Structures are given as C-alpha cells and as structure tokens.
C-alpha cells in the first residue's frame, strides 16, 4: 500500500519505519526539512509540502489517497486538514494518529470530505520495536482499507481494532490515559510507603521481584525497575513535578457528564496538578515513569 505520512516527530517516524519494514511505500512530509530528509534516508519518498505529498500519492495509481497525520493535537490538526482539503475526496482516507479530544474528532469527521479515522495510539516511543496499540473510530470500510497499515504499525492484528463510529477511537484512548494516571499513582504510593517504611529496601529488587509472577506485574512496573536501576532507590535528583494532564482532565470531565464515579482517576489527576507545588516520592516516580514509556523530559531538582 502507498501511504502518506504528515508529521515526522518521534511517533511519526515510528509509523514511517514500521510501514517501510512491512513493505509499504511511504511518502513523507514534515515542516522540518531535516526531518523529511531523515525519513528519506530511511527509504521514504520525500515531499516538500502537503500539496506535493498529495500529488505524489495521486501518481501512485491507487483508488484514493491514504494519509496518516501524526501532528500535535489541537490547532495543528485543523491547520493540516485545511491544507489537505483541496486535495481530498470521498474515496480518500485520513488517519489522525495523535491523541485529539474525541469531540474534536467527531467535528473533523463531519467536516472532512475524506473518510476520517480517529486513531488513539498507545505505547509511546518505547514501542518502536514491538509496535503500538491502536484504538480506531470511523467508517468501517475505511478501517478495513487500512488494516494492512494498522497491522504494520501496531503489534500485529491483535494490536488494533475499530472501536466504533467517529470519535470512538479517541474516546477509548482518553479513558485509557485516565486508567494510566491511576495505575501510576498506585505504584507511586506503594513505593513511597516502602521508601519511607520500616526497612532499608532495594527498590529495583522489589520491582524486579514483583514483576516476575506477581499479580501486579506490568510494563509500568518494568519501567519502575528501570527507573530505580538508573536513578537509585531514592530516585536521585528526579523532581516532584509530573507534567501532562489534558487527557486525564478530559476523562474526569466526561465522567462528570455521564455521572460515572471515577475517584481513583480523579485523585491521580489532582495529585498530578498538586505536584507543581511541593515534592512527594510517589510523584517523583511518576515523573520518571513518563520518561520510560514516552521519553518525556525528566524534570530534575536543582
């Protein structure tokens, strides 16, 4: 399949590389000429604008363009869609692989001439080798058309599915992130009690032991082990400042509208906001875990 990829940051490059490895043809564009050139070195066909990318996809001889957007959520998505609008028709498919707010995805699907697939993407840069988990919303025919690409970008056929109509993919990813907040908070509080408790414990050893057969084993726990191995049992100079919060806020807002109690997610979000004040060990671990799964910058104490 021929696929156009717009946005060649960390996540966009993974989409490009995994598609190329699976034998797909990729036309790539980024506002950064350097990023486009780097993708070209990996085997993608470079484009120097959105219009040029669409022209190159037209020349591929396929019935309809297939375009994957991996640009920051918000205004950047709308601006890119505006650039694409003159080049799109009803046979084309656009995938929004960022973590947009689901209401915005519904609006974009209604306003876009092409079939619009909202694709919640989980796994972060650390999943470059194994693939992502993809939660997709939008027309069934468009999803089926892109299955070979989703197979390549995800962990395989079991790593993606159509969640439902437009907006459903980003809705599921929103709730996924709320659950992630609560899990990080639970691990953080447990390790804080161990750190402040009765025994002088090797936190890396605890995390490694728990992750081999224990009920609470998980990838996040593997990242706890990594954090303690690289930073020490007291997390060294990792600051108590946990960035992010948008998707957790959206989750709590939706829970209020639907009158569904989510106290664990709410409290985790509140702790994240409170981390911008004074330091706690649990939040310092959450700070370091965000580097583990997303390669987000680790704030350090001065």
């Amino acid at each position: 399949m021929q696929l156009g990829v717009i946005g060649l940051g960390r996540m966009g490059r993974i989409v490009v590389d995994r598609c190329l490895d699976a034998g797909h043809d990729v036309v790539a564009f980024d506002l950064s000429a350097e990023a486009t050139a780097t993708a070209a070195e990996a085997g993608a066909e470079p484009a120097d604008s959105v219009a040029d990318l669409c022209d190159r996809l037209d020349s591929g001889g396929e019935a309809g363009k297939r375009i994957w957007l991996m640009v920051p959520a918000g205004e950047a998505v709308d601006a890119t869609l505006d650039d694409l609008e003159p080049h799109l028709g009803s046979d084309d498919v656009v995938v929004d692989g960022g973590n947009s707010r689901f209401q915005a995805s519904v609006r974009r699907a209604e306003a876009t001439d092409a079939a619009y697939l909202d694709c919640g993407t989980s796994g972060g840069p650390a999943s470059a080798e194994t693939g992502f988990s993809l939660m997709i919303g939008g027309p069934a025919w468009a999803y089926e058309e892109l299955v070979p690409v989703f197979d390549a970008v995800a962990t395989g056929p079991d790593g993606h599915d159509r969640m439902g109509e437009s907006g459903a993919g980003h809705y599921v990813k929103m709730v996924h992130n709320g659950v992630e907040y609560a899990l990080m908070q639970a691990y953080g509080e447990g390790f804080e009690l161990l750190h402040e408790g009765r025994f002088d414990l090797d936190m890396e050893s605890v995390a490694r032991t728990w992750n081999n057969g224990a009920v609470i084993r998980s990838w996040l726990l593997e990242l706890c082990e990594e954090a303690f191995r690289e930073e020490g049992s007291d997390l060294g100079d990792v600051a108590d400042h946990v960035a992010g919060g948008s998707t957790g806020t959206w989750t709590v807002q939706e829970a209020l509208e639907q009158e569904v109690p989510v106290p664990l997610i709410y409290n985790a979000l509140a702790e994240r906001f409170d981390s911008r004040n004074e330091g706690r060990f649990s939040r310092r671990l959450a700070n370091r875990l965000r580097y583990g799964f997303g390669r987000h910058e680790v704030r350090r104490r001065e």
Side-chain angles (χ1 to χ4, degrees), residues 29-49:
F29 169 69
D30 192 276
L31 292 175
S32 165
E34 181 180 356
T36 303
T38 302
E41 291 174 2
E45 180 181 352
D48 58 22
S49 67

Side-chain angles (χ1 to χ4, degrees), residues 3-282:
L3 179 73
V5 178
I6 300 175
L8 304 174
R10 291 176 299 181
M11 300 289 279
R13 270 303 308 274
I14 293 172
V15 172
V16 170
D17 291 343
R18 291 188 64 83
C19 285
L20 290 172
D21 289 344
H24 300 295
D25 296 324
V26 176
V27 181
F29 169 69
D30 192 276
L31 292 175
S32 165
E34 181 180 356
T36 303
T38 302
E41 291 174 2
E45 180 181 352
D48 58 22
S49 67
V50 168
D52 183 39
L53 178 138
C54 291
D55 288 343
R56 293 174 184 272
L57 292 177
D58 284 336
S59 68
E62 294 189 2
K65 294 179 281 291
R66 310 294 180 245
I67 300 173
W68 190 303
L69 307 185
M70 196 58 94
V71 300
E75 293 180 359
V77 178
D78 290 315
T80 305
L81 288 173
D82 287 342
D83 291 340
L84 283 169
E85 183 178 11
H87 310 281
L88 296 178
S90 59
D91 292 333
D92 302 325
V93 180
V94 175
V95 178
D96 177 5
N99 289 327
S100 294
R101 196 166 187 173
F102 78 92
Q103 294 97 330
S105 298
V106 173
R107 169 179 59 78
R108 290 166 182 149
E110 293 173 348
T112 303
D113 290 335
Y116 194 83
L117 297 177
D118 50 286
C119 178
T121 305
S122 181
S127 294
E129 297 298 324
T130 57
F132 297 128
S133 171
L134 304 176
M135 296 141 266
I136 301 151
W141 74 263
Y143 169 76
E144 294 296 335
E145 184 71 19
L146 268 292
V147 161
V149 165
F150 293 140
D151 284 347
V153 176
T155 56
D158 290 337
H160 65 87
D161 208 343
R162 177 178 177 267
M163 300 293 115
E165 61 191 29
S166 295
H170 282 151
Y171 189 87
V172 173
K173 180 58 167 62
M174 174 189 72
V175 177
H176 161 283
N177 283 23
V179 172
E180 176 188 295
Y181 283 30
L183 290 173
M184 291 170 64
Q185 182 68 20
Y187 282 126
E189 290 181 7
F191 278 106
E192 182 171 20
L193 178 57
L194 293 176
H195 181 263
E196 304 295 335
R198 297 172 182 269
F199 299 94
D200 182 14
L201 298 170
D202 181 333
M203 297 299 182
E204 179 190 352
S205 175
V206 173
R208 182 181 64 254
T209 302
W210 278 355
N211 219 39
N212 282 273
V215 171
I216 60 172
R217 63 189 183 275
S218 72
W219 183 43
L220 280 176
L221 190 55
E222 291 177 8
L223 297 178
C224 290
E225 181 183 346
E226 174 189 286
F228 292 127
R229 180 172 61 252
E230 296 182 0
E231 307 288 349
S233 282
D234 63 353
L235 293 179
D237 62 353
V238 174
D240 173 13
H241 183 105
V242 187
S246 294
T247 49
T249 300
W250 300 343
T251 304
V252 170
Q253 290 172 339
E254 176 65 7
L256 290 171
E257 290 186 17
Q258 300 300 326
E259 299 184 357
V260 175
V262 290
L264 296 179
I265 295 173
Y266 170 78
N267 286 332
L269 178 66
E271 281 287 319
R272 183 168 293 205
F273 291 153
D274 189 48
S275 76
R276 286 85 192 258
N277 299 316
E278 290 299 325
R280 284 190 59 186
F281 187 88
S282 59

